Amino acid sequence: MTPVLLDCDPGHDDAVALIYAARHLDLRAITTVFGNQSLEHVTRNALSLCRLVQLDIPVAAGADRPLVAQPIHGGTIHGKTGLDGAELPEPDRAPADMHAVELILRTARAHRGELVIAATGALTNVALALATEPRLKDWLRGITIMGGTTGIGNVTEIAEFNIYADPEAADRVLRAGVPAWLVGLDVTRRVGVTAADIASLRGGGVLARTMADLLDFFLASLQRVHGLSTASLHDPCALVPFIDPSLIEYRQCCVQVSLDPGLTRGVTVADLRRLRNVQLGQIRPTGPANVHLAREPSPALVPHILAAIREVDARLT
Ligand code: RIB
Ligand code: CA
């Protein structure tokens, strides 16, 4: 099984990603970053989720703000705690006595050449870790990211929350030369659970019923704010290339991040052209392919994620 470190901002869909990783991957550590709520809230949520899922792995808190901008929080969707909608167990331990960057470096050193970082929040911790220890890029097998979009946005008309929360960090990570997989909102919006899917979890144990409560809250938020009829499972999509690559089709291309102020800040610009090797004249040539970019989710993906929740729930019951 692939060793994975989950860098996240739980967050309802981060919670699903944590369970999905616990079911199918060797989840070695969790680091938290500001985003869906403050660093304090998302770190508490990560510890509560570890207790709920009976995961005895280190959790370290990281950045409480982006590299250069002011922090934004996703409370409009995820609520005051960042994980509203269910009774969660109180954390039964404190976060690790180290910064997330240190935990990322220690875990990567311990699993040299094998560790995958799954980033489902702002990329601030990952950018800081790469800046702190440049050898990290050689220690990692890859970085798989939920972020960006080639079409519709959420936090702005055309920008996705995780990238918009820290565009400078995303720019550094995508330029770092680490093998990278990127699944954007244009794909994850099509990976959603319906109210009926959520209700089907209520026949399970404590974990399944808690996830049903959380996903009901998440769906209601997305219906209220975005008029969506399903709850988008953004974050577990980032794990798919290392669980079952047949569940999302990826293609290699060049993706850049706009750091401009104003309308295009935090926009991911993917070059989806297939230019021929000819004299291009005034046409801007394609940049070097730096990511595997998600293009098409399989209809089997949502059932696969729901099955993982049921299977982890059954282990605990
Ligand atoms: O835009 C969706 C992303 O922003 C997800 O990771 C969600 O958890 C929020 O962090
Ligand atoms: Ca997230």
Side-chain angles (χ1 to χ4, degrees):
M1 272 196 193
T2 304
V4 168
L5 179 145
L6 179 62
D7 186 69
C8 56
D9 60 342
H12 294 73
D13 53 326
D14 302 78
V16 180
L18 184 152
I19 295 166
Y20 202 37
R23 169 63 184 83
H24 289 292
L25 298 167
D26 180 10
L27 182 57
R28 305 298 300 170
I30 293 172
T31 50
T32 56
V33 62
F34 78 95
N36 283 329
Q37 254 305 343
S38 67
L39 178 67
E40 182 189 359
H41 279 302
V42 300
T43 304
R44 178 184 173 78
N45 294 340
L47 290 164
S48 290
L49 289 168
C50 282
R51 184 173 182 188
L52 182 67
V53 184
Q54 295 176 21
L55 274 180
D56 185 16
I57 58 175
V59 175
D64 63 357
R65 69 196 63 226
L67 295 182
V68 295
Q70 286 305 307
I72 60 172
H73 294 150
T76 307
I77 299 294
H78 297 273
K80 288 191 304 300
T81 70
L83 203 48
D84 282 14
E87 283 298 314
L88 292 173
E90 289 294 314
D92 55 3
R93 56 190 164 108
D97 185 18
M98 68 181 82
H99 190 279
V101 166
E102 181 55 32
L103 183 55
I104 289 170
L105 297 180
R106 287 189 189 189
T107 311
R109 250 197 306 267
H111 298 276
R112 214 162 293 200
E114 297 174 337
L115 184 72
V116 170
I117 293 178
T120 63
L123 288 166
T124 317
N125 290 341
V126 181
L128 289 171
L130 286 163
T132 303
E133 175 50 84
R135 290 177 296 173
L136 176 62
K137 77 181 185 64
D138 301 319
W139 294 347
L140 291 175
R141 175 178 170 194
I143 301 174
T144 186
I145 302 160
M146 190 280 137
T149 179
T150 61
I152 191 168
N154 51 12
V155 67
T156 76
E157 303 88 332
I158 49 174
E160 178 279 328
F161 182 85
N162 288 342
I163 304 300
Y164 184 82
D166 196 343
E168 283 73 19
D171 178 57
R172 292 184 189 196
V173 170
L174 293 184
R175 290 176 186 276
V178 184
W181 286 259
L182 184 68
V183 58
L185 203 57
D186 51 297
V187 169
T188 63
R189 270 172 63 105
R190 293 184 275 156
V191 183
V193 284
T194 63
D197 290 330
I198 296 168
S200 74
L201 292 172
R202 293 196 177 284
V206 171
L207 173 64
R209 295 197 303 272
T210 302
M211 289 312 298
D213 290 343
L214 289 174
L215 288 170
D216 274 339
F217 177 93
F218 190 38
L219 176 55
S221 292
L222 293 171
Q223 282 170 327
R224 184 184 72 252
V225 176
H226 291 283
L228 296 180
S229 58
T230 62
S232 315
L233 299 181
H234 306 292
D235 291 339
C237 290
L239 299 167
V240 165
F242 299 94
I243 294 177
D244 180 350
S246 72
L247 292 173
I248 296 182
E249 183 191 317
Y250 280 75
R251 66 161 281 194
Q252 285 197 280
C253 70
C254 176
V255 173
Q256 301 175 75
V257 180
S258 167
L259 305 180
D260 301 335
L263 196 59
T264 61
R265 181 158 175 79
V267 169
T268 46
V269 179
D271 190 345
L272 297 172
R273 301 170 300 172
R274 295 186 188 275
L275 293 179
R276 296 284 182 260
N277 185 14
V278 295
Q279 286 299 316
L280 294 176
Q282 77 288 353
I283 295 172
R284 179 160 49 198
T286 297
N290 57 338
V291 299
H292 303 269
L293 181 68
R295 304 303 299 135
E296 275 308 312
S298 160
L301 180 50
V302 166
H304 194 254
I305 296 170
L306 289 170
I309 295 173
R310 293 191 186 97
E311 288 152 5
V312 174
D313 175 67
R315 281 184 201 166
L316 304 176
T317 304

